[in-house]
Coordinates of all heavy atoms in Angstrom, one line a residue:
M1 N 173.6 -81.5 -6.0 CA 173.7 -80.3 -5.2 C 174.9 -79.4 -5.4 O 176.0 -80.0 -5.5 CB 173.7 -80.6 -3.7 CG 172.3 -81.2 -3.2 SD 171.0 -80.0 -3.3 CE 169.7 -81.0 -2.7
G2 N 174.8 -78.2 -5.6 CA 175.9 -77.3 -5.9 C 176.7 -76.9 -4.6 O 176.1 -76.9 -3.6
A3 N 177.9 -76.5 -4.8 CA 178.7 -76.0 -3.7 C 178.0 -74.8 -3.0 O 178.1 -74.6 -1.8 CB 180.1 -75.7 -4.1
C4 N 177.4 -74.0 -3.9 CA 176.8 -72.8 -3.3 C 175.6 -73.2 -2.4 O 175.5 -72.7 -1.3 CB 176.3 -71.9 -4.5 SG 175.7 -70.3 -3.9
H5 N 174.8 -74.1 -2.9 CA 173.7 -74.5 -2.0 C 174.3 -75.2 -0.8 O 173.7 -74.9 0.3 CB 172.9 -75.6 -2.8 CG 171.9 -76.3 -1.9 ND1 170.8 -75.7 -1.5 CD2 172.0 -77.5 -1.4 CE1 170.2 -76.6 -0.6 NE2 170.9 -77.7 -0.6
D6 N 175.3 -76.0 -0.8 CA 175.9 -76.6 0.4 C 176.3 -75.6 1.3 O 176.0 -75.7 2.5 CB 177.0 -77.5 0.0 CG 176.6 -78.8 -0.8 OD1 175.4 -79.1 -0.8 OD2 177.4 -79.4 -1.4
E7 N 177.0 -74.5 0.9 CA 177.5 -73.5 1.8 C 176.4 -72.7 2.4 O 176.4 -72.5 3.6 CB 178.5 -72.6 1.1 CG 179.1 -71.6 2.1 CD 180.4 -70.9 1.6 OE1 180.9 -71.4 0.6 OE2 180.8 -70.0 2.2
L8 N 175.4 -72.4 1.6 CA 174.2 -71.7 2.1 C 173.5 -72.5 3.2 O 173.1 -72.0 4.2 CB 173.3 -71.3 1.0 CG 173.7 -70.1 0.1 CD1 172.9 -70.0 -1.1 CD2 173.7 -68.8 0.9
A9 N 173.3 -73.8 2.8 CA 172.5 -74.6 3.7 C 173.3 -74.9 5.0 O 172.7 -75.0 6.1 CB 172.3 -76.0 3.0
A10 N 174.6 -74.9 5.0 CA 175.4 -75.0 6.2 C 175.4 -73.8 7.0 O 175.3 -73.9 8.3 CB 176.9 -75.4 5.8
T11 N 175.3 -72.6 6.4 CA 175.3 -71.3 7.1 C 173.8 -71.0 7.6 O 173.6 -70.6 8.7 CB 175.8 -70.2 6.2 OG1 177.1 -70.6 5.7 CG2 175.9 -68.9 7.1
F12 N 172.9 -71.3 6.7 CA 171.5 -71.0 7.0 C 170.7 -72.3 6.7 O 170.2 -72.5 5.6 CB 171.0 -69.9 6.1 CG 171.8 -68.6 6.2 CD1 172.6 -68.2 5.2 CD2 171.7 -67.8 7.3 CE1 173.3 -67.1 5.3 CE2 172.4 -66.6 7.4 CZ 173.2 -66.2 6.4
P13 N 170.5 -73.0 7.8 CA 169.8 -74.3 7.6 C 168.4 -74.2 7.0 O 167.8 -75.0 6.4 CB 169.8 -75.0 9.0 CG 170.9 -74.3 9.6 CD 171.0 -72.9 9.1
D14 N 167.8 -73.0 7.2 CA 166.5 -72.7 6.8 C 166.4 -71.7 5.7 O 165.3 -71.1 5.5 CB 165.7 -72.2 8.1 CG 164.1 -72.2 7.8 OD1 163.7 -73.2 7.2 OD2 163.4 -71.3 8.3
Y15 N 167.4 -71.6 4.9 CA 167.4 -70.6 3.9 C 166.4 -70.9 2.8 O 166.1 -72.1 2.5 CB 168.8 -70.3 3.3 CG 169.2 -71.1 2.1 CD1 169.1 -70.5 0.8 CD2 169.7 -72.4 2.1 CE1 169.5 -71.2 -0.3 CE2 170.0 -73.1 1.0 CZ 169.9 -72.5 -0.2 OH 170.2 -73.2 -1.4
R16 N 166.0 -69.9 2.1 CA 165.1 -70.0 0.9 C 165.7 -69.6 -0.4 O 166.3 -68.6 -0.5 CB 163.8 -69.2 1.2 CG 163.0 -69.7 2.4 CD 162.3 -71.0 2.0 NE 161.5 -71.5 3.1 CZ 161.9 -72.2 4.2 NH1 163.2 -72.6 4.2 NH2 161.1 -72.6 5.1
F17 N 165.6 -70.5 -1.3 CA 166.1 -70.2 -2.6 C 164.9 -69.6 -3.4 O 163.9 -70.2 -3.6 CB 166.6 -71.5 -3.3 CG 167.3 -71.3 -4.6 CD1 168.6 -71.0 -4.7 CD2 166.5 -71.5 -5.8 CE1 169.2 -70.8 -5.9 CE2 167.2 -71.4 -7.0 CZ 168.5 -71.0 -7.1
Y18 N 165.0 -68.3 -3.8 CA 163.9 -67.7 -4.4 C 163.8 -67.8 -5.9 O 162.9 -68.5 -6.5 CB 163.8 -66.2 -4.0 CG 163.1 -66.1 -2.7 CD1 163.9 -66.1 -1.5 CD2 161.7 -66.1 -2.6 CE1 163.2 -66.0 -0.3 CE2 161.1 -66.0 -1.4 CZ 161.8 -66.0 -0.3 OH 161.2 -65.9 0.9
A19 N 164.6 -67.1 -6.6 CA 164.4 -67.1 -8.1 C 165.7 -66.9 -8.7 O 166.7 -66.3 -8.1 CB 163.5 -66.0 -8.5
I20 N 165.9 -67.3 -9.9 CA 167.1 -67.1 -10.7 C 166.7 -66.2 -11.9 O 165.9 -66.7 -12.8 CB 167.7 -68.4 -11.1 CG1 167.9 -69.3 -9.9 CG2 169.0 -68.1 -11.9 CD1 168.3 -70.7 -10.3
K21 N 167.1 -65.0 -11.9 CA 166.8 -64.1 -13.0 C 167.5 -64.6 -14.2 O 168.5 -65.2 -14.2 CB 167.2 -62.7 -12.7 CG 166.4 -62.0 -11.6 CD 166.9 -60.6 -11.4 CE 166.2 -60.0 -10.3 NZ 166.9 -58.7 -9.7
E22 N 166.8 -64.4 -15.3 CA 167.4 -64.8 -16.6 C 168.4 -63.8 -17.0 O 168.2 -62.7 -17.5 CB 166.3 -64.8 -17.7 CG 165.2 -65.9 -17.4 CD 165.3 -67.0 -18.4 OE1 165.6 -66.7 -19.6 OE2 164.9 -68.1 -18.1
K23 N 169.6 -64.1 -16.7 CA 170.8 -63.3 -17.2 C 171.7 -64.2 -17.9 O 172.4 -65.1 -17.2 CB 171.5 -62.6 -16.1 CG 170.7 -61.5 -15.4 CD 171.5 -60.9 -14.3 CE 170.7 -59.8 -13.5 NZ 171.5 -59.2 -12.4
W24 N 171.8 -64.2 -19.2 CA 172.5 -65.2 -19.9 C 173.9 -65.4 -19.5 O 174.7 -64.4 -19.5 CB 172.5 -64.8 -21.4 CG 171.1 -64.7 -22.0 CD1 170.6 -63.5 -22.5 CD2 170.0 -65.6 -21.9 NE1 169.3 -63.8 -22.9 CE2 168.9 -65.0 -22.6 CE3 169.9 -66.9 -21.5 CZ2 167.7 -65.6 -22.7 CZ3 168.7 -67.5 -21.6 CH2 167.6 -66.9 -22.2
G25 N 174.2 -66.5 -19.1 CA 175.6 -66.9 -18.8 C 176.1 -66.4 -17.4 O 177.2 -66.7 -17.0
V26 N 175.2 -65.6 -16.7 CA 175.6 -65.1 -15.4 C 174.6 -65.5 -14.4 O 173.4 -65.3 -14.6 CB 175.7 -63.6 -15.4 CG1 176.1 -63.1 -14.0 CG2 176.8 -63.1 -16.5
L27 N 175.1 -66.1 -13.3 CA 174.2 -66.5 -12.3 C 173.6 -65.4 -11.5 O 174.3 -64.5 -11.2 CB 175.0 -67.4 -11.3 CG 174.1 -67.9 -10.1 CD1 173.2 -69.0 -10.5 CD2 175.1 -68.5 -9.0
A28 N 172.3 -65.4 -11.4 CA 171.6 -64.4 -10.6 C 170.9 -65.2 -9.5 O 169.8 -65.6 -9.6 CB 170.6 -63.6 -11.4
F29 N 171.6 -65.4 -8.4 CA 171.2 -66.3 -7.4 C 170.5 -65.5 -6.3 O 171.1 -64.6 -5.7 CB 172.4 -66.9 -6.8 CG 172.2 -68.2 -6.0 CD1 172.0 -69.4 -6.6 CD2 172.1 -68.1 -4.6 CE1 171.8 -70.6 -5.8 CE2 171.9 -69.2 -3.8 CZ 171.8 -70.4 -4.4
Q30 N 169.2 -65.7 -6.1 CA 168.5 -65.0 -5.1 C 168.0 -65.9 -4.0 O 167.3 -66.8 -4.2 CB 167.3 -64.3 -5.7 CG 167.7 -63.3 -6.8 CD 166.5 -62.4 -7.2 OE1 165.4 -62.8 -7.3 NE2 166.8 -61.1 -7.4
A31 N 168.5 -65.6 -2.8 CA 168.1 -66.4 -1.7 C 167.9 -65.5 -0.5 O 168.4 -64.4 -0.4 CB 169.2 -67.5 -1.4
R32 N 167.3 -66.0 0.5 CA 167.1 -65.3 1.8 C 167.5 -66.3 2.9 O 167.3 -67.5 2.8 CB 165.7 -64.8 1.9 CG 165.3 -63.7 0.9 CD 164.0 -63.1 1.2 NE 163.6 -62.3 0.1 CZ 164.0 -61.1 -0.2 NH1 165.0 -60.6 0.5 NH2 163.6 -60.4 -1.2
P33 N 168.0 -65.7 4.0 CA 168.4 -66.6 5.1 C 167.2 -67.5 5.6 O 167.4 -68.6 6.0 CB 168.8 -65.6 6.2 CG 169.2 -64.4 5.5 CD 168.3 -64.3 4.2
R34 N 166.0 -67.0 5.5 CA 164.8 -67.7 5.9 C 163.6 -67.0 5.4 O 163.7 -65.9 4.9 CB 164.7 -67.8 7.4 CG 164.6 -66.5 8.2 CD 164.3 -66.7 9.6 NE 165.4 -67.5 10.2 CZ 166.6 -66.9 10.7 NH1 166.7 -65.5 10.6 NH2 167.5 -67.5 11.2
A35 N 162.5 -67.7 5.4 CA 161.2 -67.1 5.0 C 160.9 -66.0 6.0 O 161.2 -66.1 7.2 CB 160.1 -68.1 5.0
G36 N 160.5 -64.8 5.5 CA 160.2 -63.7 6.3 C 161.4 -62.8 6.6 O 162.3 -62.8 5.8
E37 N 161.3 -62.0 7.6 CA 162.3 -61.0 7.9 C 163.6 -61.7 8.3 O 163.6 -62.7 9.0 CB 161.9 -60.1 9.0 CG 160.8 -59.1 8.6 CD 161.3 -58.2 7.5 OE1 162.3 -57.6 7.7 OE2 160.6 -58.1 6.5
A38 N 164.7 -61.1 7.9 CA 166.1 -61.6 8.3 C 166.8 -60.4 8.9 O 166.7 -59.3 8.5 CB 166.8 -62.2 7.1
A39 N 167.7 -60.7 9.8 CA 168.6 -59.7 10.4 C 169.6 -59.2 9.4 O 169.9 -59.9 8.4 CB 169.3 -60.2 11.6
A40 N 169.9 -57.9 9.5 CA 170.8 -57.3 8.5 C 172.1 -58.1 8.4 O 172.6 -58.3 7.2 CB 171.1 -55.8 8.8
E41 N 172.7 -58.6 9.5 CA 173.9 -59.3 9.4 C 173.8 -60.6 8.7 O 174.7 -61.1 8.0 CB 174.6 -59.4 10.7 CG 173.8 -60.1 11.8 CD 173.0 -59.2 12.7 OE1 172.6 -58.1 12.2 OE2 172.7 -59.5 13.8
E42 N 172.6 -61.2 8.8 CA 172.3 -62.5 8.1 C 172.3 -62.2 6.6 O 172.8 -63.0 5.9 CB 171.1 -63.1 8.6 CG 171.1 -63.7 10.0 CD 169.8 -64.3 10.4 OE1 168.7 -63.7 10.1 OE2 169.8 -65.4 10.9
A43 N 171.6 -61.2 6.3 CA 171.5 -60.8 4.8 C 172.8 -60.5 4.2 O 173.2 -60.9 3.1 CB 170.5 -59.6 4.7
D44 N 173.7 -59.8 5.0 CA 175.1 -59.5 4.5 C 175.8 -60.7 4.3 O 176.5 -60.9 3.3 CB 175.7 -58.6 5.6 CG 175.2 -57.2 5.6 OD1 174.5 -56.8 4.7 OD2 175.6 -56.4 6.5
R45 N 175.7 -61.7 5.2 CA 176.5 -62.9 5.1 C 176.0 -63.7 3.9 O 176.8 -64.3 3.2 CB 176.3 -63.8 6.4 CG 177.0 -65.1 6.4 CD 178.5 -65.0 6.6 NE 179.1 -66.3 6.5 CZ 180.0 -66.6 5.5 NH1 180.3 -65.8 4.6 NH2 180.5 -67.8 5.4
L46 N 174.7 -63.8 3.7 CA 174.2 -64.5 2.6 C 174.6 -63.9 1.3 O 175.0 -64.6 0.4 CB 172.7 -64.6 2.7 CG 172.0 -65.5 1.7 CD1 170.9 -66.3 2.3 CD2 171.4 -64.7 0.5
N47 N 174.6 -62.5 1.3 CA 175.0 -61.8 0.0 C 176.5 -62.2 -0.3 O 176.9 -62.3 -1.4 CB 174.8 -60.3 0.2 CG 173.4 -59.9 0.0 OD1 172.6 -60.7 -0.6 ND2 173.1 -58.8 0.6
E48 N 177.3 -62.3 0.8 CA 178.7 -62.6 0.6 C 178.9 -63.9 -0.1 O 179.6 -64.1 -1.0 CB 179.5 -62.7 2.0 CG 180.1 -61.4 2.5 CD 180.7 -61.7 3.8 OE1 181.3 -62.7 4.0 OE2 180.6 -60.8 4.7
I49 N 178.1 -64.9 0.4 CA 178.2 -66.2 -0.2 C 177.7 -66.2 -1.7 O 178.3 -66.8 -2.5 CB 177.4 -67.2 0.6 CG1 178.0 -67.3 2.0 CG2 177.4 -68.6 0.0 CD1 177.1 -68.1 3.0
T50 N 176.5 -65.6 -1.9 CA 176.0 -65.7 -3.3 C 176.8 -64.9 -4.2 O 177.0 -65.2 -5.4 CB 174.5 -65.2 -3.3 OG1 174.4 -63.8 -2.8 CG2 173.6 -66.0 -2.5
E51 N 177.5 -63.7 -3.8 CA 178.3 -63.0 -4.6 C 179.5 -63.8 -5.0 O 180.0 -63.8 -6.1 CB 178.8 -61.7 -3.9 CG 177.8 -60.5 -4.1 CD 177.8 -60.2 -5.6 OE1 178.8 -59.9 -6.2 OE2 176.6 -60.2 -6.1
K52 N 180.1 -64.5 -4.0 CA 181.3 -65.3 -4.2 C 180.9 -66.3 -5.4 O 181.7 -66.5 -6.3 CB 181.7 -66.1 -3.0 CG 183.0 -66.9 -3.1 CD 183.4 -67.4 -1.8 CE 182.4 -68.6 -1.3 NZ 182.9 -69.2 0.0
Y53 N 179.8 -67.0 -5.3 CA 179.5 -68.0 -6.3 C 179.0 -67.3 -7.6 O 179.2 -67.9 -8.6 CB 178.4 -68.9 -5.7 CG 179.0 -69.9 -4.8 CD1 179.0 -69.7 -3.4 CD2 179.7 -71.0 -5.3 CE1 179.6 -70.6 -2.5 CE2 180.4 -71.9 -4.4 CZ 180.3 -71.6 -3.0 OH 180.9 -72.5 -2.1
R54 N 178.4 -66.2 -7.5 CA 178.1 -65.5 -8.7 C 179.3 -65.2 -9.5 O 179.3 -65.3 -10.7 CB 177.3 -64.2 -8.4 CG 176.7 -63.6 -9.7 CD 176.1 -62.2 -9.4 NE 177.2 -61.3 -8.9 CZ 178.1 -60.7 -9.7 NH1 178.1 -61.0 -11.0 NH2 179.0 -60.0 -9.2
A55 N 180.4 -64.8 -8.8 CA 181.6 -64.5 -9.5 C 182.2 -65.8 -10.2 O 183.0 -65.7 -11.1 CB 182.7 -63.9 -8.5
A56 N 181.8 -66.9 -9.7 CA 182.3 -68.2 -10.3 C 181.1 -68.9 -10.8 O 180.9 -70.1 -10.6 CB 183.0 -69.0 -9.3
S57 N 180.2 -68.2 -11.5 CA 178.9 -68.7 -11.8 C 178.9 -69.9 -12.8 O 177.9 -70.6 -13.0 CB 178.0 -67.7 -12.4 OG 178.5 -67.2 -13.6
E58 N 180.1 -70.2 -13.4 CA 180.2 -71.3 -14.3 C 179.9 -72.6 -13.6 O 179.7 -73.7 -14.2 CB 181.5 -71.4 -15.0 CG 182.7 -71.7 -14.2 CD 183.3 -70.5 -13.5 OE1 182.6 -69.4 -13.6 OE2 184.4 -70.6 -13.1
V59 N 180.0 -72.6 -12.2 CA 179.9 -73.9 -11.5 C 178.4 -74.1 -11.0 O 178.1 -75.2 -10.5 CB 180.9 -74.0 -10.3 CG1 182.3 -74.0 -10.8 CG2 180.5 -72.9 -9.3
V60 N 177.6 -73.1 -11.1 CA 176.2 -73.3 -10.6 C 175.2 -73.1 -11.7 O 175.2 -72.1 -12.4 CB 175.9 -72.4 -9.4 CG1 174.6 -72.6 -8.9 CG2 177.0 -72.5 -8.4
C61 N 174.3 -74.1 -11.9 CA 173.3 -74.0 -12.9 C 172.4 -72.8 -12.6 O 171.9 -72.6 -11.5 CB 172.4 -75.3 -12.9 SG 171.0 -75.2 -14.0
E62 N 172.1 -71.9 -13.7 CA 171.3 -70.7 -13.4 C 169.9 -71.0 -13.4 O 169.1 -70.2 -13.0 CB 171.6 -69.7 -14.5 CG 171.1 -70.1 -15.9 CD 171.5 -69.1 -17.0 OE1 172.7 -68.9 -17.2 OE2 170.6 -68.5 -17.6
W63 N 169.5 -72.2 -13.8 CA 168.1 -72.6 -13.7 C 167.7 -73.1 -12.2 O 166.8 -72.8 -11.7 CB 167.7 -73.5 -14.8 CG 166.3 -73.9 -14.7 CD1 165.7 -75.0 -14.1 CD2 165.2 -73.2 -15.2 NE1 164.4 -75.0 -14.2 CE2 164.0 -73.9 -14.9 CE3 165.0 -71.9 -15.9 CZ2 162.7 -73.4 -15.2 CZ3 163.8 -71.5 -16.2 CH2 162.6 -72.2 -15.8
C64 N 168.5 -74.2 -11.9 CA 168.1 -74.8 -10.6 C 169.1 -74.8 -9.5 O 168.8 -75.1 -8.4 CB 167.8 -76.3 -11.0 SG 169.3 -77.3 -11.4
G65 N 170.3 -74.2 -9.7 CA 171.2 -74.0 -8.6 C 172.1 -75.2 -8.4 O 173.0 -75.2 -7.5
R66 N 172.0 -76.3 -9.1 CA 172.8 -77.4 -9.0 C 174.1 -77.2 -9.7 O 174.3 -76.2 -10.4 CB 172.1 -78.7 -9.5 CG 170.9 -79.1 -8.7 CD 170.2 -80.3 -9.3 NE 169.0 -80.7 -8.5 CZ 167.8 -80.1 -8.7 NH1 167.6 -79.2 -9.6 NH2 166.8 -80.6 -7.9
C67 N 175.0 -78.1 -9.5 CA 176.4 -78.0 -10.1 C 176.2 -78.0 -11.6 O 175.5 -78.8 -12.2 CB 177.3 -79.1 -9.8 SG 177.8 -79.1 -8.1
G68 N 176.8 -77.0 -12.3 CA 176.7 -76.9 -13.8 C 178.0 -76.4 -14.3 O 179.0 -76.3 -13.7
S69 N 177.9 -76.1 -15.6 CA 179.0 -75.5 -16.3 C 178.5 -74.5 -17.4 O 177.4 -74.7 -17.8 CB 179.9 -76.6 -16.9 OG 179.2 -77.4 -17.8
L70 N 179.4 -73.6 -17.9 CA 179.0 -72.7 -18.9 C 178.9 -73.4 -20.2 O 179.8 -74.1 -20.6 CB 180.0 -71.6 -19.0 CG 179.7 -70.4 -20.0 CD1 178.4 -69.7 -19.6 CD2 180.8 -69.5 -20.1
R71 N 177.7 -73.4 -20.8 CA 177.4 -74.1 -22.0 C 177.7 -73.2 -23.2 O 177.1 -72.1 -23.5 CB 176.0 -74.5 -22.1 CG 175.5 -75.3 -20.9 CD 176.1 -76.7 -20.9 NE 176.0 -77.3 -19.6 CZ 176.1 -78.6 -19.3 NH1 176.3 -79.5 -20.3 NH2 176.0 -79.1 -18.1
M72 N 178.8 -73.5 -24.0 CA 179.1 -72.7 -25.1 C 178.5 -73.2 -26.4 O 178.6 -72.5 -27.4 CB 180.7 -72.7 -25.3 CG 181.4 -72.3 -24.0 SD 181.2 -70.6 -23.5 CE 182.1 -69.7 -24.7
D73 N 177.9 -74.3 -26.3 CA 177.3 -74.9 -27.6 C 175.9 -74.5 -27.9 O 175.5 -74.7 -29.0 CB 177.4 -76.4 -27.4 CG 176.7 -76.9 -26.2 OD1 176.6 -76.1 -25.2 OD2 176.3 -78.1 -26.1
A74 N 175.3 -73.8 -27.0 CA 173.9 -73.4 -27.2 C 173.9 -72.1 -28.0 O 174.9 -71.4 -28.2 CB 173.1 -73.2 -25.9
R75 N 172.7 -71.7 -28.4 CA 172.5 -70.5 -29.2 C 172.9 -69.2 -28.4 O 173.5 -68.3 -28.9 CB 171.0 -70.3 -29.6 CG 170.7 -69.2 -30.5 CD 169.3 -69.4 -31.1 NE 168.3 -69.7 -30.1 CZ 167.8 -68.7 -29.3 NH1 168.0 -67.5 -29.5 NH2 166.9 -69.1 -28.4
V76 N 172.7 -69.3 -27.1 CA 173.1 -68.3 -26.1 C 173.9 -69.0 -25.1 O 173.7 -70.2 -24.7 CB 171.9 -67.5 -25.5 CG1 171.3 -66.6 -26.5 CG2 171.0 -68.5 -24.9
E77 N 174.8 -68.3 -24.5 CA 175.7 -68.9 -23.4 C 174.8 -68.9 -22.1 O 174.3 -67.9 -21.7 CB 176.9 -68.0 -23.2 CG 177.9 -68.1 -24.4 CD 179.1 -67.3 -24.0 OE1 179.3 -66.8 -22.9 OE2 179.9 -67.1 -25.0
R78 N 174.8 -70.1 -21.6 CA 174.1 -70.3 -20.4 C 174.9 -71.2 -19.5 O 175.6 -72.0 -19.9 CB 172.7 -71.0 -20.6 CG 171.8 -70.3 -21.6 CD 170.4 -70.6 -21.4 NE 169.9 -70.0 -20.2 CZ 168.6 -70.0 -19.8 NH1 167.7 -70.6 -20.5 NH2 168.2 -69.5 -18.6
T79 N 174.7 -71.0 -18.2 CA 175.3 -71.9 -17.2 C 174.2 -72.8 -16.7 O 173.3 -72.5 -16.1 CB 175.8 -71.0 -16.0 OG1 176.7 -70.0 -16.5 CG2 176.6 -71.9 -15.0
L80 N 174.4 -74.1 -17.0 CA 173.4 -75.1 -16.7 C 174.0 -76.4 -16.2 O 175.2 -76.7 -16.6 CB 172.6 -75.4 -18.0 CG 171.8 -74.3 -18.6 CD1 171.3 -74.6 -20.0 CD2 170.6 -74.0 -17.7
C81 N 173.3 -77.1 -15.5 CA 173.7 -78.4 -15.1 C 173.4 -79.4 -16.3 O 172.7 -79.0 -17.2 CB 173.0 -78.9 -13.8 SG 171.3 -79.2 -14.0
D82 N 173.9 -80.6 -16.2 CA 173.7 -81.6 -17.3 C 172.2 -81.8 -17.6 O 171.8 -81.8 -18.7 CB 174.3 -82.9 -16.9 CG 175.9 -82.8 -17.0 OD1 176.4 -81.8 -17.6 OD2 176.5 -83.6 -16.5
A83 N 171.5 -81.9 -16.5 CA 170.0 -82.2 -16.7 C 169.3 -81.1 -17.3 O 168.5 -81.3 -18.2 CB 169.4 -82.5 -15.3
C84 N 169.5 -79.9 -16.9 CA 168.8 -78.7 -17.5 C 169.3 -78.5 -18.9 O 168.5 -78.2 -19.8 CB 169.1 -77.5 -16.6 SG 168.3 -77.5 -15.0
A85 N 170.5 -78.6 -19.1 CA 171.1 -78.5 -20.5 C 170.4 -79.4 -21.4 O 170.0 -79.2 -22.6 CB 172.6 -78.6 -20.6
N86 N 170.3 -80.7 -20.9 CA 169.6 -81.7 -21.8 C 168.2 -81.4 -22.0 O 167.7 -81.5 -23.1 CB 169.7 -83.1 -21.0 CG 169.3 -84.3 -21.9 OD1 169.7 -84.4 -23.0 ND2 168.3 -85.0 -21.4
D87 N 167.5 -80.9 -21.0 CA 166.0 -80.5 -21.1 C 165.9 -79.5 -22.2 O 165.0 -79.4 -23.0 CB 165.5 -80.0 -19.8 CG 165.1 -81.2 -18.9 OD1 165.2 -82.3 -19.3 OD2 164.8 -80.9 -17.7
M88 N 166.8 -78.5 -22.2 CA 166.7 -77.3 -23.0 C 166.9 -77.6 -24.5 O 166.7 -76.8 -25.3 CB 167.5 -76.2 -22.5 CG 166.9 -75.6 -21.3 SD 167.6 -74.0 -20.7 CE 166.8 -72.9 -22.0
T89 N 167.4 -78.8 -24.8 CA 167.6 -79.2 -26.2 C 166.2 -79.6 -26.7 O 166.0 -79.6 -27.9 CB 168.5 -80.4 -26.3 OG1 168.0 -81.6 -25.6 CG2 169.9 -80.1 -25.8
T90 N 165.2 -79.9 -25.9 CA 164.0 -80.4 -26.4 C 162.8 -79.5 -25.9 O 161.7 -79.6 -26.4 CB 163.6 -81.8 -26.0 OG1 163.8 -81.9 -24.6 CG2 164.6 -82.8 -26.6
M91 N 163.0 -78.6 -25.0 CA 161.9 -77.8 -24.4 C 162.4 -76.4 -24.1 O 163.6 -76.1 -24.0 CB 161.2 -78.4 -23.2 CG 162.1 -78.7 -22.0 SD 161.3 -79.7 -20.8 CE 161.8 -81.4 -21.4
R92 N 161.5 -75.4 -23.9 CA 161.9 -74.1 -23.7 C 162.5 -73.9 -22.3 O 163.4 -73.2 -22.1 CB 160.6 -73.2 -23.8 CG 161.0 -71.7 -23.7 CD 160.0 -70.8 -24.4 NE 160.4 -69.4 -24.2 CZ 159.5 -68.4 -23.9 NH1 158.2 -68.7 -23.8 NH2 160.0 -67.2 -23.8
F93 N 161.9 -74.6 -21.2 CA 162.5 -74.4 -19.9 C 162.8 -75.8 -19.3 O 162.0 -76.8 -19.6 CB 161.5 -73.7 -19.0 CG 161.2 -72.3 -19.4 CD1 160.0 -72.0 -20.0 CD2 162.2 -71.3 -19.3 CE1 159.7 -70.7 -20.4 CE2 161.9 -70.0 -19.7 CZ 160.7 -69.7 -20.2
P94 N 163.8 -75.9 -18.6 CA 164.1 -77.2 -18.0 C 163.0 -77.6 -17.0 O 162.3 -76.7 -16.4 CB 165.4 -77.0 -17.2 CG 166.0 -75.7 -17.8 CD 164.8 -74.9 -18.3
K95 N 162.9 -78.9 -16.7 CA 161.8 -79.3 -15.8 C 162.4 -79.5 -14.4 O 161.7 -79.9 -13.4 CB 161.1 -80.6 -16.3 CG 162.0 -81.8 -16.5 CD 161.2 -82.9 -17.0 CE 162.0 -84.2 -17.2 NZ 162.9 -84.1 -18.4
Q96 N 163.7 -79.3 -14.2 CA 164.3 -79.4 -12.8 C 163.6 -78.3 -12.0 O 163.4 -77.2 -12.4 CB 165.8 -79.2 -12.9 CG 166.5 -79.9 -14.0 CD 166.2 -81.3 -14.1 OE1 166.2 -82.0 -13.1 NE2 166.0 -81.8 -15.3
T97 N 163.4 -78.7 -10.7 CA 162.9 -77.8 -9.7 C 164.1 -77.2 -9.0 O 165.1 -77.8 -8.6 CB 162.1 -78.5 -8.7 OG1 161.1 -79.2 -9.4 CG2 161.4 -77.5 -7.7
P98 N 164.1 -75.8 -8.9 CA 165.2 -75.2 -8.2 C 165.4 -75.7 -6.8 O 164.4 -76.0 -6.1 CB 164.8 -73.7 -8.1 CG 164.0 -73.5 -9.3 CD 163.2 -74.8 -9.5
I99 N 166.6 -75.9 -6.4 CA 166.9 -76.5 -5.1 C 166.4 -75.5 -4.0 O 166.5 -74.3 -4.2 CB 168.4 -76.8 -4.9 CG1 169.2 -75.6 -5.2 CG2 168.8 -78.0 -5.7 CD1 170.7 -75.7 -4.9
V100 N 165.8 -76.0 -3.0 CA 165.3 -75.1 -1.9 C 166.0 -75.4 -0.6 O 166.1 -76.6 -0.3 CB 163.8 -75.2 -1.8 CG1 163.3 -74.4 -0.6 CG2 163.1 -74.8 -3.1
Ligands
LIG201 ZN1 170.0 -77.3 -13.6

């Protein structure tokens, strides 16, 4: 579990992790406070958290949201956890499921 997930889960016990856009080397972390509508202040708080971690995206896997590091050894720079980085040596997409 990544620190970003831990902080989001602590702030929003029911938050939803939606999708990670493919942006090489940069985390694009999309989450919502909960399924369905969220109050504006909740969305703002969540954006604060995800922005903070996006700025330090080397610590969060861009595929699954777990703890990772920037991989400089691949053809393209990606921020991946060990499991995803290992998967991507043999397949196009990691088989890890994004943390929810
Ligand atoms: Zn991963």
Side-chain angles (χ1 to χ4, degrees):
M1 290 294 183
C4 187
H5 167 75
D6 289 346
E7 183 164 350
L8 285 170
T11 308
F12 303 107
D14 196 32
Y15 95 98
R16 292 291 181 270
F17 186 83
Y18 274 94
I20 304 169
K21 288 179 185 169
E22 296 243 333
K23 290 183 181 175
W24 305 121
V26 178
L27 177 71
F29 195 87
Q30 298 192 324
R32 295 189 191 285
R34 62 174 60 86
E37 290 296 311
E41 58 267 28
E42 286 182 318
D44 287 349
R45 178 76 185 112
L46 189 137
N47 284 338
E48 270 179 39
I49 296 172
T50 56
E51 270 301 301
K52 182 174 73 176
Y53 284 97
R54 192 188 59 75
S57 63
E58 70 272 14
V59 299
V60 183
C61 175
E62 68 185 59
W63 180 263
C64 72
R66 294 177 178 87
C67 290
S69 58
L70 185 62
R71 308 286 163 163
M72 306 294 286
D73 51 338
R75 187 165 48 83
V76 289
E77 292 182 5
R78 305 203 68 171
T79 304
L80 295 167
C81 68
D82 289 342
C84 291
N86 188 52
D87 282 354
M88 289 193 75
T89 63
T90 55
M91 61 191 86
R92 187 159 176 219
F93 296 110
K95 58 180 182 289
Q96 315 309 317
T97 307
I99 53 175
V100 175

